[in-house]
Amino acid sequence: MAEALSPAIFIDRDGTVMRDVDYCGDPKKVEVFEGAAAALGQLKARGYKIILITNQSGIGRGYFDEPAYREVEKEVVRQLGAGLIDATYFCPHSPEQTCACRKPAPGMVLQAAQDHAIHLARSYFIGDKDSDVECGQRAGTKTILLGTDYGKSAKQDAPDAVAGDLPAAVRFILDRAND
């Protein structure tokens, strides 16, 4: 049965796909990184599912509500282009709330794997924080830490690889796709 499962790229949103603007509840503040759409398109062409995994504690903290989050999500998808993102999973809880979904907990990744028939060991988690790397490791994926924003100060000995940006991470994955 494992042969029928697809590989996926689980990817953090803020600081990885788009500029991190702290608690983004306004679609006008969305700025997808240059090269992100083309890089994700290369992965899609090679058969990877693309799943956004994002902590959105601004909802739990009362900074914005879920409808505002959904508007931001729509703008991210608009800027990336239709057909790239297979699904988005978000945790609305603040760090003080106990849940199984807030990264570094693997709940969102495990749910996505179940929902989309994903082979976790053939998948990657790309993000810019230690919590992204830990989430991917706890879910059983390979991990890539980006050197954007927070990634510059993250523990760089924990991930499977470190890349300067999303296009570099994609090159790393595609170079190893046939290994």
Side-chain angles (χ1 to χ4, degrees), residues 93-113:
H93 305 109
S94 70
E96 299 77 32
Q97 295 174 291
T98 302
C99 68
C101 56
R102 184 174 173 75
K103 296 180 290 179
M108 291 185 283
V109 173
L110 297 176
Q111 186 62 55

Side-chain angles (χ1 to χ4, degrees), residues 37-168:
L40 294 177
Q42 291 176 318
L43 291 168
K44 287 291 284 190
R46 293 289 288 272
Y48 287 92
K49 292 182 179 179
I50 310 294
I51 313 281
L52 283 178
I53 302 289
T54 180
N55 285 344
Q56 292 298 314
S57 69
I59 297 170
R61 296 170 196 253
Y63 299 158
F64 54 89
D65 57 15
E66 186 174 336
Y69 161 78
R70 294 288 183 197
E71 290 302 313
V72 169
E73 179 181 39
K74 281 188 216 173
E75 181 59 17
V76 170
V77 169
R78 187 194 71 73
Q79 287 187 30
L80 285 171
L84 282 181
I85 305 299
D86 291 287
T88 299
Y89 290 77
F90 72 99
C91 172
H93 305 109
S94 70
E96 299 77 32
Q97 295 174 291
T98 302
C99 68
C101 56
R102 184 174 173 75
K103 296 180 290 179
M108 291 185 283
V109 173
L110 297 176
Q111 186 62 55
Q114 183 179 3
D115 293 348
H116 299 278
I118 293 170
H119 191 297
L120 289 169
R122 292 176 49 218
S123 299
Y124 285 84
F125 195 115
I126 303 172
D128 70 323
K129 295 186 180 96
D130 291 326
S131 60
D132 299 318
V133 171
E134 184 178 342
C135 178
Q137 290 170 337
R138 290 173 68 182
T141 72
K142 295 178 248 356
T143 59
I144 301 176
L145 178 68
L146 297 188
T148 57
D149 296 334
Y150 292 102
K152 292 176 184 165
S153 61
K155 296 179 228 155
Q156 297 191 4
D157 58 344
D160 293 295
V162 176
D165 58 15
L166 184 56

Side-chain angles (χ1 to χ4, degrees), residues 15-30:
T16 302
V17 172
M18 65 174 264
R19 190 163 317 285
D20 191 332
V21 293
D22 286 334
Y23 309 109
C24 188
D26 181 354
K28 292 178 187 152
K29 293 182 178 180
V30 172

